[in-house]
């Protein structure tokens, strides 16, 4: 709700910015809203479209109804009209908007008339506004028209004003999501004049419309509704603009609306009123249902009405809540007080005076106990059954008639009759009724109400026939016997009803406890699941076992939706099922069997949602015909699906975090590489180009020593550039895993000497000390890679150690390994950098006089040494400033004999 986005720190509201971001990529919706037919909505839409055509925008007509009006028909000239799609229905051919042709054509703007239109059966969507939503999702702008009487929350208000209930409605969310709303207004007198002139309907129809619908009073009221609803939307847009741009303003955020929902008629009117009240107050609102034991015996009609009311509240944007309770008025007030609700919407009393005196009045109790909470009593009820159509049809709970409970009940009564016959010799006949009553109670506890009522009448007949005078007839002669018989029958009926009610409540409690235990067990499984496959398998198994259906789970992959798990295992779907699953995923709405969209699919597909987004789709089917799930099963599925969606999102968020870390590391490496290339590649190139240019232009005039220095500069910088490129190539091999050492047995001292000779130019300003014992064992290694690793260590030491300092190399044998150390007398390694010094492109901060490096040398040394089975580490010297790099290479278990070629094959 708007008030939830208040930001007290004079900065843009995250929710407002997120709402703006969500609109990016979607087409813009412009709504031409009218108070009644004939005000000129289609005319104005076509004029606006023509203006966009003049601006060079690609505009097409998806569907426009001219209703024979010449001025409207004339405006179609110059437009490209998408041909309509023909649909056969009951021997008639109906024309509908071809959404596929529009999406294939992909214009910038499409004009769609009559947004509330109901599509012909067999169309992709049952309503045209769903077609428009799909077009908008593809980034195509839409201009469309709508009359105020088609808005869902105003449906009952319009019906009360005009005495006509409109069946074709659109959700209020359509208006809430519209980017622009243009009210097409016309005074009642001007509209009635247009009717008389035949510009709206044919003359006969126009006269009938004027007498019934188009009266000045009705039109004035409809104008007010249209203007008020538009003003609310404009106010919301202004508030969103203020919050997204951190514009301070007075925003009331304390109002909350609670509407009480039950099974009584008139619930839809209360819900719509609560929605309008919440809109006016810009307040969040909740639909509350109190589940009491007395509601356990509701009829199927009442259950359907209650479910329809709760669904309508959810569709209109309410937070739906159900709480258990005993005293409805007290529970509502307690819930409202605990959650800071300031308004309660309730229906007027419907009970008779006598029932109110006996049972009390919910409305009056609420008013007395509400305290400072405002109570809105809604007096009107629906004149017609206008329950909102369900998105997924529910299966009826079929309980086939069973004979055996009645047979067993007969046995109970026969047993009680036999016991009564024995006791008849010792007790008064009135005491025998208790024995027969015991059979009635046993039947009620065991089988429920109807077998218990059967036991009542069977026991009453047996009591009359066998024990009341005259016996063995159904005649009652004694007045006392009549009283006893009547008392027995009344007590038996009351007792059977009470016992059956307790039995039903106990069964319902056991079912709820069993479901709660299963859901709790499922939540523990999900909490312990560490991989996506574990979550999907647990979800498929749990849903299949609790609902007795076959289950498939589909998740997005590479821009489409694919099967990831199933129970029983199933990874094949028919084309219709694939289309339904994809549609359910893309539109976040149910599709397939029992749904409004693509009902020809084998399975019912429902999106798995979290508070953030849809994460997947679950498909259900069984071998029965018709709808899949009962209302109770749908609620259970919602609970399971919510937990599964949160678990899937948790796994995906962990994967997203890992990918984000990898991406951040890749960005760091990319940035370091670009920095290195920009400096370490351009610097030697600049030196080479400068020296070469000087030699070319001024060589004859330069002394021999200067020419030699310039040539040395060209040579040295070329070698530096060659080392840099070689390092990049070596690092690429290491990262790709393509490094394959060419093993042979070698003496480390020889490789050290070769590395020192190669690095002589780099270390020329330093003193080199070596301590390599001649008896060191030979190592199995690649001499080229090992020499490069030593060269990089020497290069690093020469960079950081001051001129004239000592670079020392020493080696020895320790615990089956040859240890080789490179020590310098530089500033050492900062403590925070010791663990990171071998990272790719990582460079310790250097003094100005220290020449820059690529940050690759030490990383390459580690890669080469580890590729040959060794280890390398870095530390600071303890005897003086400086760094120590230690290489540890394992000594081979078997060395080649003297005279054997020292090749890898000999090894």
């Amino acid at each position: 709700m708007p008030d939830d986005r208040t930001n007290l720190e004079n900065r843009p509201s995250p929710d407002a910015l997120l709402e703006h971001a969500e609109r990016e990529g979607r087409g813009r919706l412009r709504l031409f809203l009218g108070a009644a037919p004939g005000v000129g909505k289609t005319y104005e839409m076509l004029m606006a479209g023509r203006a966009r055509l003049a601006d060079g925008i690609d505009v097409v007509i998806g569907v426009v109804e001219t209703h024979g009006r010449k001025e409207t028909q004339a405006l179609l000239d110059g437009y490209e009209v998408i041909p309509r799609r023909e649909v056969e229905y009951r021997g008639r051919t109906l024309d509908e908007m071809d959404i596929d042709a529009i999406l294939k054509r992909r214009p910038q703007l499409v004009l769609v008339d009559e947004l509330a239109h109901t599509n012909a059966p067999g169309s992709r969507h049952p309503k045209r506004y769903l077609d428009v939503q799909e077009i908008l999702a593809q980034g195509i702008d839409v201009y469309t028209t709508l009359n105020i009487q088609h808005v869902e929350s105003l449906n009952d208000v319009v019906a009360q004003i005009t005495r006509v209930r409109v069946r074709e409605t659109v959700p209020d969310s359509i208006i809430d999501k519209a980017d622009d709303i243009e009210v097409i207004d016309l005074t009642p007198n001007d509209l009635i004049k247009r009717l008389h002139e035949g510009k709206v309907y044919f003359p006969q129809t126009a006269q009938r419309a004027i007498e019934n619908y188009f009266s000045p009073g009705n039109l004035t009221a409809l104008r007010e509704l249209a203007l008020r609803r538009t003003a609310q939307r404009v106010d919301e847009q202004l508030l969103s603009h203020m919050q997204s741009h951190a514009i301070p303003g007075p925003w009331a955020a304390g109002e909350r609306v609670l509407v009480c929902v039950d099974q009584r008629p008139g619930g839809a009117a209360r819900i719509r009123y609560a929605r309008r009240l919440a809109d006016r107050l810009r307040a969040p609102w909740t639909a509350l249902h109190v589940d009491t034991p007395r509601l356990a015996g509701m009829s199927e009609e009442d259950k359907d009405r209650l479910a329809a009311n709760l669904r309508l509240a959810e569709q209109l944007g309410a937070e739906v809540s159900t709480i258990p309770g005993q005293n409805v008025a007290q529970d509502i007030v307690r819930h409202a007080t605990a959650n800071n609700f300031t308004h309660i919407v309730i229906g007027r009393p419907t009970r008779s005076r006598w029932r109110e005196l006996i049972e009390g009045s919910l409305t009056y109790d609420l008013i007395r106990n509400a305290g400072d909470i405002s109570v809105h009593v809604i007096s009107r009820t629906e004149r017609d059954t206008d329950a909102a159509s369900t998105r997924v049809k529910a299966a009826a709970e079929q309980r086939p008639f069973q004979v055996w409970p009645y047979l067993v009940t007969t046995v109970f009564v026969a047993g009680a009759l036999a016991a009564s016959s024995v006791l008849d010799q010792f007790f008064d006949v009135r005491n025998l009724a208790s024995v027969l009553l015991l059979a009635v109670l046993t039947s009620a506890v065991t089988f429920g109400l109807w077998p218990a009522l059967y036991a009542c009448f069977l026991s009453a007949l047996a009591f009359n026939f066998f024990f009341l005078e005259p016996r063995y007839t159904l005649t009652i002669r004694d007045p006392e016997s009549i009283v006893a018989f009547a008392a027995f029958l009344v007590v038996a009926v009351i007792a059977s009803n009470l016992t059956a009610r307790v039995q039903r409540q106990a069964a319902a409690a056991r079912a709820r406890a069993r479901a709660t235990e299963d859901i709790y067990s499922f939540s523990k499984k999900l909490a312990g699941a560490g991989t996506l496959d574990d979550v999907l398998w647990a979800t498929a198994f749990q849903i299949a076992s609790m609902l007795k259906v076959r289950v498939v789970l589909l998740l997005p992959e590479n821009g489409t939706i694919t099967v990831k798990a199933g129970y029983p295992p199933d990874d094949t779907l028919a084309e219709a099922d694939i289309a339904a699953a994809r549609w359910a995923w893309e539109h976040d709405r149910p599709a397939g069997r029992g749904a409004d969209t693509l009902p020809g699919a084998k399975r019912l597909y429902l999106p798995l949602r979290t508070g953030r987004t849809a994460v997947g789709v679950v498909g259900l089917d069984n071998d029965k015909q018709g709808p899949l799930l009962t209302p109770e099963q749908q609620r259970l599925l919602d609970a399971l699906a919510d937990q599964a969606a949160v678990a899937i999102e948790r796994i995906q968020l962990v994967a997203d975090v890992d990918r984000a870390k990898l991406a951040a590391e890749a960005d760091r490496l990319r940035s370091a590489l670009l920095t290195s290339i920009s400096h370490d590649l351009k610097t030697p190139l600049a030196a080479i180009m400068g020296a070469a240019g000087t030699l070319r232009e001024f060589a004859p005039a330069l002394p021999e020593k200067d020419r030699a220095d310039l040539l040395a500069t060209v040579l040295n910088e070329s070698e530096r550039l060659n080392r840099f490129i070689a390092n990049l190539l070596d690092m690429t091999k290491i990262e790709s895993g393509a490094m394959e050492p060419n093993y042979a047995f070698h003496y480390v001292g020889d490789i050290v000497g070769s590395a020192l000779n190669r690095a002589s130019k780099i270390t020329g300003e330093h003193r080199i000390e070596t301590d390599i014992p001649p008896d060191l064992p030979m190592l199995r290694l690649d001499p080229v890679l090992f020499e490069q690793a030593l060269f990089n260590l020497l290069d690093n030491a020469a960079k950081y150690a001051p001129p004239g300092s000592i670079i020392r190399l020493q080696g020895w044998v320790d615990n089956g390994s040859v240890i080789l150390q490179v020590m310098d007398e530089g500033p050492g390694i900062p403590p925070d950098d010791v663990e990171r010094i071998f990272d790719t492109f990582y460079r310790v901060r250097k003094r100005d006089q220290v020449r820059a490096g690529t940050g690759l040398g030490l990383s390459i040394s580690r890669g080469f040494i580890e590729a040959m089975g060794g280890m390398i580490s870095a530390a600071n010297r303890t005897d003086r400033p400086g760094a120590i790099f230690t290489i540890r290479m394992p000594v081979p278990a078997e060395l080649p004999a003297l005279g054997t070629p020292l090749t890898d094959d000999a090894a």
Side-chain angles (χ1 to χ4, degrees), residues 48-49 52 57-61 107-111 140-143:
R52 298 301 302 276
I57 302 299
D58 184 12
V59 184
V60 301
I61 291 179
Q108 294 176 275
L109 172 64
V110 58
L111 309 184
I140 302 173
D141 295 345
V142 175
Y143 284 1

Side-chain angles (χ1 to χ4, degrees), residues 367-409:
I367 295 174
R368 280 193 294 267
N369 300 324
D372 294 333
I373 302 175
S374 301
V375 179
H376 302 249
V377 181
I378 308 304
S379 61
R380 57 180 172 272
T381 61
E382 287 100 336
R383 294 177 175 83
D384 283 314
T385 58
D386 64 333
S389 60
T390 59
R391 292 176 295 176
V392 178
K393 297 178 181 178
E397 296 188 13
Q398 298 179 352
R399 297 179 181 177
F401 178 78
Q402 295 178 328
V403 178
W404 68 270
Y406 296 90
L407 298 178
V408 177
T409 297

Side-chain angles (χ1 to χ4, degrees), residues 265-422:
R270 295 194 296 274
I271 292 169
R272 294 189 182 106
Y273 176 85
R275 165 62 194 251
R276 296 193 300 273
L277 177 62
D279 284 347
R280 288 197 298 270
L281 299 175
R282 294 196 298 274
W285 64 297
T286 298
L288 177 67
H289 170 63
V290 180
D291 189 10
T292 63
R294 298 180 60 182
L295 299 180
M298 278 194 302
S299 64
E300 290 299 322
E301 181 181 359
D302 287 342
K303 290 180 180 179
D304 291 341
R305 187 182 296 113
L306 175 61
N309 289 337
L310 293 175
R311 282 195 300 274
L312 177 61
E314 184 178 6
Q315 291 171 357
L316 293 180
E319 177 185 352
V320 178
S321 178
T322 300
I323 61 173
Q326 295 289 337
N327 188 304
V328 178
Q330 293 180 3
D331 292 328
I332 292 174
V333 172
R334 188 179 300 114
H335 182 83
T337 303
N339 293 276
N340 295 323
F341 285 98
T342 56
H343 299 268
I344 297 178
V345 179
I346 191 70
R348 66 176 178 81
T350 57
R351 295 173 178 171
S352 63
R353 271 290 191 202
W354 293 107
R355 287 194 62 187
E356 288 185 0
L357 291 175
I358 297 173
E359 302 178 6
S361 170
L362 170 62
T363 304
Y364 295 147
D365 290 344
L366 266 180
I367 295 174
R368 280 193 294 267
N369 300 324
D372 294 333
I373 302 175
S374 301
V375 179
H376 302 249
V377 181
I378 308 304
S379 61
R380 57 180 172 272
T381 61
E382 287 100 336
R383 294 177 175 83
D384 283 314
T385 58
D386 64 333
S389 60
T390 59
R391 292 176 295 176
V392 178
K393 297 178 181 178
E397 296 188 13
Q398 298 179 352
R399 297 179 181 177
F401 178 78
Q402 295 178 328
V403 178
W404 68 270
Y406 296 90
L407 298 178
V408 177
T409 297
T410 303
V411 173
F412 288 163
V413 174
L417 181 61
S420 299
S421 299
V422 174

